[in-house]
Amino acid sequence: MDRPERPLDQTSGLRQWLPPAIWCLILTAAAAVFYGNLRFGSAVLSIGLEDDFFYYAQVARSLAFHGSSTFDGTHLTNGYHPLWLLMLTVVTKIFDTGGLIGSTSVIPMAVALETIQFALVIAIAYFAFRIAQLYCGLEVSCAIQLLGVTGALMILRGGMETGLTMAIVFGMLWYRLRPGFTWTSSMAMTYGLLASCMVLSRLDSVLLLGLLFVFDVLPQGRSQRDRMLLCGFFLIGLLPIALYLGVNQWVFGAMMPVSGTAKQLRNTHLLPSVDAMASFVGRLFNPKLPVYGICVVLTLATPV
C-alpha cells in the first residue's frame, strides 16, 4: 500500500519554519562557542584562543602602538597572513589596554574578537546557503548550511585566520555564481579584488586563485580580444597582492614570509600527511556531532 502523501499545507508550513529554525540554531551555537570564552575572565585571551594567536596578538600590539612589525621588539617579521593581522591590529589599537577607548582590561578586546568571529560564522552560513540554493532544494540547502557552519565553528574557535578566509571564499563564490553576474570589465576587476582578499587572508590560497584564473577567467569572452580584456581587468584586481609583495621586499628584504620559506626546507612537504587527512575525515564525518546528525536527517528527508 502506498504511503499517503503529506498535505500540501503541512509541507508548506515545514518549509516556512525550517530556515528560521536553522538560523536560531546557528546563532545560538555561534554565541555559545565564542562568547562562552568570556567565562575565563581576564585569562580569556590565553585560555580561549590558540597558541598561534598569541604570536599574532604580540605582532599586532607592536604594530598598533609602536609602528613596528616585530614579535620580540627587536627583529622584524613578516611571518603572518597580512589581512588577518591588519584586522587584529585595528582591533588592538581601539580595544586593547591603552587603546583609543582607554580600556584597562582585556575584556573589551576579547568581546571585539569574539564578535568578529561570530560575524564571520554568520557570513559563512549566509553565503553557503545562498550558493546551495542555486543547485539544491530548501532542505538540502539547510543541511549544507549546517554542515558548513559546523566545520567553521570547529576551525574558528581558536582565533585564527581561517574563518576570515572561509567567509571571503564563500562570498567570492556567491558573487561569481549568482544569477546577476555577467563578464564585464568592472565585474572582472571586482572578482579579482575578492580573490586578492582571499589570498591576503591566507597566503596558501593562491593555489585556489591559480585554478580560478585558469579554469574560470581565461576561457571567458567571445573573442581573443575580449578574453585578454577580461583577464587584464581581473589582474588589475590582483594589484593588492603585488603591493603586498613589494612592501615585503622593501621592508623585510624578501617577498614571501620568512616562516613560509623556512617550512619549505623540510623534505616532507611534498606529500600530504596521512594522519592529518585521517583526522580531518574523522572530524567531518563524526556521527556523534549533533549538527552532523541533523544534516543526515534533513538530507534523508528531502523529497526526491
Side-chain angles (χ1 to χ4, degrees):
M1 176 183 255
D2 295 335
R3 291 184 304 171
E5 295 184 359
R6 288 183 296 180
L8 181 61
D9 57 344
Q10 182 180 350
T11 304
S12 176
L14 174 66
R15 295 175 64 87
Q16 287 180 357
W17 67 256
L18 183 58
I22 295 298
W23 273 110
C24 287
L25 179 61
I26 291 173
L27 291 171
T28 302
V33 168
F34 296 124
Y35 294 114
N37 283 335
L38 298 178
R39 70 186 185 277
F40 298 118
S42 60
V44 57
L45 297 182
S46 59
I47 297 178
L49 302 173
E50 292 181 356
D51 291 341
D52 284 351
F53 176 80
F54 175 72
Y55 167 79
Y56 270 82
Q58 287 290 99
V59 177
R61 184 170 179 80
S62 177
L63 191 60
F65 295 111
H66 306 290
S68 181
S69 177
T70 177
F71 174 75
D72 59 5
T74 303
H75 303 91
L76 294 178
T77 181
N78 63 348
Y80 44 73
H81 301 288
L83 193 57
W84 182 238
L85 182 77
L86 179 61
M87 290 186 63
L88 290 181
T89 301
V90 173
V91 172
T92 300
K93 183 67 174 179
I94 298 174
F95 296 100
D96 203 359
T97 54
L100 295 179
I101 66 171
S103 174
T104 58
S105 74
V106 299
I107 299 301
M109 176 74 172
V111 171
L113 288 172
E114 303 297 3
T115 301
I116 289 175
Q117 296 188 102
F118 180 87
L120 290 175
V121 168
I122 301 308
I124 292 169
Y126 173 80
F127 288 122
F129 181 74
R130 296 299 297 269
I131 294 171
Q133 274 197 310
L134 296 175
Y135 307 99
C136 309
L138 177 64
E139 294 85 353
V140 174
S141 297
C142 289
I144 292 174
Q145 182 186 38
L146 278 176
L147 188 59
V149 169
T150 301
L153 287 175
M154 290 190 298
I155 295 172
L156 268 69
R157 60 184 180 181
M160 295 306 295
E161 76 288 333
T162 311
L164 177 61
T165 305
M166 291 177 66
I168 293 174
V169 167
F170 277 111
M172 180 184 66
L173 292 178
W174 166 246
Y175 178 80
R176 171 64 182 89
L177 297 172
R178 64 194 173 94
F181 182 88
T182 55
W183 279 102
T184 62
S185 56
S186 60
M187 286 195 169
M189 185 170 65
T190 304
Y191 192 21
L193 287 172
L194 291 173
S196 291
C197 292
M198 173 189 70
V199 172
L200 295 177
S201 69
R202 187 170 176 89
L203 296 174
D204 51 9
S205 64
V206 70
L207 299 174
L208 178 58
L209 170 60
L211 293 174
L212 290 176
F213 183 75
V214 172
F215 294 104
D216 190 32
V217 181
L218 278 179
Q220 305 302 326
R222 298 180 180 178
S223 63
Q224 182 71 18
R225 180 180 178 277
D226 289 342
R227 283 191 289 271
M228 292 182 63
L229 186 64
L230 291 175
C231 287
F233 277 98
F234 181 83
L235 292 175
I236 291 175
L238 301 183
L239 285 178
I241 299 177
L243 178 62
Y244 164 73
L245 296 175
V247 170
N248 267 352
Q249 183 63 44
W250 179 45
V251 177
F252 305 101
M255 287 189 178
M256 297 302 295
V258 176
S259 57
T261 304
K263 289 178 182 178
Q264 297 305 310
L265 299 177
R266 301 179 302 175
N267 57 6
T268 59
H269 71 276
L270 294 177
L271 297 176
S273 169
V274 176
D275 292 338
M277 294 176 65
S279 175
F280 173 76
V281 172
R283 285 189 177 187
L284 188 61
F285 299 104
N286 185 357
K288 295 182 180 179
L289 292 175
V291 178
Y292 173 77
I294 295 174
C295 293
V296 173
V297 171
L298 288 175
T299 302
L300 295 176
T302 302
V304 178

